[in-house]
Amino acid sequence: MKYNPFKVILWILFIVVVLVNSIRLFIYGFVISFIVVIIDRAFFGTRKRSDTQFLNLFFNITSVFALFYTFSPFFRSVEFEISHPRWEQLQIESIERRDTFKVEAQGVLEKIYSPINIIYIDKEGVSQKMNAELKHYAMFMLPPLADQKVSEKELDYIHNRGLNKLINKKAIHLFKHPHKDKLKVFKGNDVFAIRHSIGFQIALVISYILFFSLTIFTFIRFNTLKKKANSTNKKERTTVIIIFGLMLLVYAITITSIVHYLKFF
């Protein structure tokens, strides 16, 4: 049996990303995909459909869950409440900010973080304190535009905005294990907070690579892609739509990132 190296790499990356977040994502993806396939084959499709239907659904649905789990503090806290119904959510009294620290690697700004004190009310109604930290990763910028001082200004702005929102809104979700002296903390109520995760850096680098790769590929293969776009073959038209859809996405990410970065020059 022959294996497509690209698909093998894609599945390995998929497994790593999910395991780094939560193995529960596999369960959600499996259950939803199984239900969709059963409903489709029972009421709308035929039993002759390819078995890859389930794998494609499983891959895409689980990937969406992983995306939200990586970048959405709101999704992570809601998912935890649903999957851990016996854990008790504790009330937050206040949040105290401490000194901010910057981390550099080989002279390049990597991230910034601020330790914080979380004052909460325990099950007995007594005020308690725990330590945590809020961190943001620096934006990776293309070498012609990259500047250390600009990166610091941009990261300071993002970090202070996020920290002030966290403190002012007391946007901390704190859960207590029902039987053990164990706490779980989620920071922020944002639907998406991409700068909290190292995944942001990875996604940005991939976007830059795809930006240049797809631009060159489209320029070289423009006539071929044009023929496929006008082809009567559905598979060829779908391939062109996927390529140009991906191009629009990476163009939007790259241009938005550059425009945002330039504001701090």
Side-chain angles (χ1 to χ4, degrees):
M1 182 182 294
K2 293 183 178 180
Y3 294 96
N4 186 322
F6 175 75
K7 289 186 178 181
V8 172
I9 293 172
L10 199 60
W11 274 97
I12 291 174
L13 288 173
F14 165 75
I15 293 170
V16 170
V17 169
V18 173
L19 289 178
V20 166
N21 285 293
S22 172
I23 197 171
R24 293 192 299 274
L25 302 180
F26 280 127
I27 300 174
Y28 302 147
F30 181 88
V31 172
I32 294 174
S33 301
F34 184 78
I35 293 173
V36 171
V37 169
I38 292 298
I39 293 175
D40 177 57
R41 295 189 181 185
F43 299 101
F44 304 104
T46 67
R47 295 184 182 276
K48 295 182 180 179
R49 289 197 177 187
S50 171
D51 290 336
T52 58
Q53 180 190 28
F54 173 79
L55 285 177
N56 291 334
L57 279 171
F58 174 67
F59 181 88
N60 289 306
I61 292 173
T62 309
S63 295
V64 170
F65 277 122
L67 175 68
F68 276 86
Y69 201 93
T70 301
F71 295 118
S72 176
F74 175 77
F75 178 84
R76 286 196 297 271
S77 63
V78 170
E79 187 278 330
F80 188 84
E81 287 187 69
I82 294 173
S83 59
H84 297 75
R86 299 179 64 187
W87 287 57
E88 180 183 354
Q89 184 168 4
L90 302 177
Q91 180 185 346
I92 304 299
E93 261 193 336
S94 62
I95 302 170
E96 300 174 350
R97 176 177 181 171
R98 292 158 61 188
D99 293 335
T100 296
F101 301 92
K102 295 178 181 178
V103 178
E104 295 184 359
Q106 297 180 346
V108 178
L109 184 63
E110 184 180 283
K111 66 180 178 180
I112 186 172
Y113 70 95
S114 294
I116 55 177
N117 295 325
I118 302 172
I119 315 299
Y120 65 94
I121 307 297
D122 65 14
K123 294 175 65 175
E124 286 71 34
V126 179
S127 292
Q128 302 287 353
K129 180 189 290 188
M130 72 169 293
N131 299 322
E133 67 177 35
L134 183 69
K135 62 184 176 182
H136 291 87
Y137 287 87
M139 174 182 286
F140 176 79
M141 186 47 57
L142 297 171
L145 299 174
D147 183 274
Q148 181 75 358
K149 291 184 179 179
V150 174
S151 295
E152 288 184 10
K153 286 170 61 178
E154 191 275 338
L155 189 54
D156 282 337
Y157 169 79
I158 293 295
H159 185 67
N160 288 322
R161 185 182 66 177
L163 194 57
N164 290 336
K165 184 190 296 185
L166 187 75
I167 293 173
N168 294 336
K169 294 186 177 182
K170 300 178 184 176
I172 293 282
H173 301 276
L174 188 61
F175 297 90
K176 170 74 169 58
H177 192 283
H179 306 299
K180 301 178 182 179
D181 189 19
K182 183 178 180 181
L183 298 173
K184 181 73 173 179
V185 59
F186 296 92
K187 300 179 283 292
N189 291 324
D190 298 305
V191 177
F192 279 100
I194 59 176
R195 301 293 288 276
H196 288 256
S197 171
I198 191 63
F200 163 75
Q201 293 284 56
I202 298 172
L204 201 56
V205 171
I206 293 174
S207 295
Y208 292 155
I209 293 173
L210 288 175
F211 177 87
F212 291 108
S213 301
L214 290 175
T215 300
I216 295 171
F217 175 80
T218 304
F219 180 78
I220 295 174
R221 303 293 299 274
F222 180 78
N223 291 330
T224 302
L225 292 173
K226 186 177 179 180
K227 289 180 181 178
K228 288 185 177 182
N230 298 322
S231 172
T232 56
N233 188 309
K234 183 179 179 181
K235 187 174 181 179
E236 290 185 347
R237 293 201 309 271
T238 302
T239 301
V240 175
I241 291 172
I242 292 173
I243 291 174
F244 280 100
L246 185 58
M247 277 188 67
L248 288 175
L249 177 62
V250 297
Y251 266 62
I253 293 173
T254 302
I255 293 172
T256 302
S257 300
I258 292 175
V259 170
H260 169 75
Y261 190 80
L262 290 176
K263 293 192 300 184
F264 296 91
F265 265 89

